[in-house]
């Protein structure tokens, strides 16, 4: 009986040992399973350990913190974005400034081309309609020709010293224009004001010098013989009514056109300045032509 009990106890011991081993194996597998669920985390930890230096100080090759995902926009943000459309206020401002700049540019360019067209029409075929060759004398008695006008913008006026009111008023205007143009051009000396007498019998160089210095020292006075003055008036299409034969002390009237003739550095006519023009408007017109000439890169004489 004892012998039969002893083998039975051995069987029970083996069974319990086998069950205990099975439970341990199952628990071990259960505990090991989570490690297989996070291979990336284990790999990052292993890489971090591998980057340690020899002195034990770790190198932070990269962060092991979790990547924060970008939050999706809320409905309020989406509505605000859709309400502004594809353009922001900065884009709208840039669009307005660019458009305004282009409008100004094309307007200025259109005016420049119109001035150029009018100047070309005034030249005529073969010779200018206004202006041409002439020979006169300046206040020092030196010969002065149309070639001396070239290289600058010249401002030519025809008058006479015995003119009661029109010539003094226009010469006062001329003096203001000279100062304004010289100031605007920085004193480049590219503007030449010229006074040509229509009364050569009375307007000698001495008389002209005393007369013109009352208005502006920069005005160039020109005179000549009767035929020379008549010729230059004809070249500029100026009405000339001065009688040829004048007795000493005889009084007479002189009629003439009341215009300033603006000539370009090629001595071609470009603009007429009349009595309706103010010093400000005349200066603006002159500067527009000077700036057009400079913009085209053409030379100017500054002596």
């Amino acid at each position: 009986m004892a012998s039969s009990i002893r083998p039975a106890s051995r069987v029970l011991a083996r069974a319990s040992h086998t069950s205990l081993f099975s439970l341990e194996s199952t628990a071990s597998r259960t505990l090991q399973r989570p490690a297989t669920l996070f291979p990336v985390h284990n790999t990052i930890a292993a890489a971090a350990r591998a980057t340690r230096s020899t002195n034990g100080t770790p190198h932070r090759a990269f962060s092991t913190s979790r990547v924060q995902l970008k939050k999706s926009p809320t409905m309020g943000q989406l509505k605000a974005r859709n309400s502004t459309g594809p353009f922001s206020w900065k884009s709208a401002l840039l669009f307005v400034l660019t458009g305004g700049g282009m409008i100004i540019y094309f307007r200025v360019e259109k005016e420049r081309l119109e001035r150029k067209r009018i100047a070309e029409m005034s030249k005529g075929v073969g010779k200018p309609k206004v202006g041409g060759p002439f020979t006169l004398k300046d206040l020092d008695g030196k010969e002065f020709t149309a070639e001396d006008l070239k290289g600058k913008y010249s401002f030519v006026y025809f008058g006479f010293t015995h003119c009661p009111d029109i010539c003094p008023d226009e010469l006062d205007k001329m003096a203001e224009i000279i100062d304004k143009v010289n100031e605007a051009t920085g004193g480049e000396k590219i503007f030449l004001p010229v006074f040509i007498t229509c009364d050569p019998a009375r307007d000698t160089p001495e008389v002209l010098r005393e007369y013109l210095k009352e208005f502006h020292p920069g005005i160039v006075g020109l005179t000549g013989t009767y035929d020379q003055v008549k010729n230059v008036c004809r070249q500029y299409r100026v009405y000339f009514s001065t009688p040829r034969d004048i007795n000493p002390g005889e009084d007479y009237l002189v009629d003439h056109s009341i215009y300033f003739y603006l000539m370009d550095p090629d001595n071609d006519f470009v603009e007429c300045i009349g009595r309706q023009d103010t010093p400000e408007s005349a200066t603006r017109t002159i500067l527009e032509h000077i700036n057009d000439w400079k913009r085209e890169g053409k030379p100017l004489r500054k002596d």
Side-chain angles (χ1 to χ4, degrees), residues 10-21:
R10 290 176 182 175
V11 172
L12 290 173
R14 288 176 182 175
S16 62
H17 183 270
T18 302
S19 299
L20 181 60
F21 179 77

Side-chain angles (χ1 to χ4, degrees), residues 231-252:
N231 172 67
V232 70
C233 289
R234 183 170 62 250
Q235 296 287 358
Y236 281 82
R237 307 299 186 263
V238 174
Y239 179 70
F240 181 74
S241 63
T242 307
R244 175 182 290 273
D245 298 323
I246 304 296
N247 296 323
E250 181 180 353
D251 192 16
Y252 55 92

Side-chain angles (χ1 to χ4, degrees), residues 138-265:
D138 63 16
L139 302 185
D140 295 325
K142 297 179 181 179
E143 186 177 88
F144 192 101
T145 70
E147 293 297 315
D148 295 309
L149 298 179
K150 290 187 176 181
K152 299 186 178 186
Y153 269 89
S154 54
F155 199 50
V156 184
Y157 181 76
F158 291 82
F160 62 107
T161 60
H162 286 71
C163 183
D165 50 12
I166 295 177
C167 286
D169 291 342
E170 294 301 289
L171 287 176
D172 282 335
K173 181 195 296 185
M174 189 180 198
E176 288 189 52
I177 294 172
I178 295 170
D179 290 337
K180 290 180 181 296
V181 171
N182 288 340
E183 180 181 359
T185 57
E188 290 182 303
K189 297 181 179 180
I190 57 176
F191 184 62
L192 182 64
V194 178
F195 178 91
I196 299 177
T197 181
C198 295
D199 187 11
R202 291 181 292 193
D203 291 344
T204 62
E206 293 75 17
V207 172
L208 274 180
R209 181 180 287 106
E210 292 298 319
Y211 180 74
L212 294 177
K213 73 179 183 180
E214 297 180 4
F215 299 97
H216 199 283
I219 301 176
V220 176
L222 299 177
T223 187
T225 64
Y226 180 90
D227 290 331
Q228 288 174 334
V229 171
K230 184 177 182 178
N231 172 67
V232 70
C233 289
R234 183 170 62 250
Q235 296 287 358
Y236 281 82
R237 307 299 186 263
V238 174
Y239 179 70
F240 181 74
S241 63
T242 307
R244 175 182 290 273
D245 298 323
I246 304 296
N247 296 323
E250 181 180 353
D251 192 16
Y252 55 92
L253 297 176
V254 176
D255 292 330
H256 62 90
S257 304
I258 308 170
Y259 289 106
F260 292 96
Y261 298 91
L262 181 64
M263 315 295 289
D264 69 15

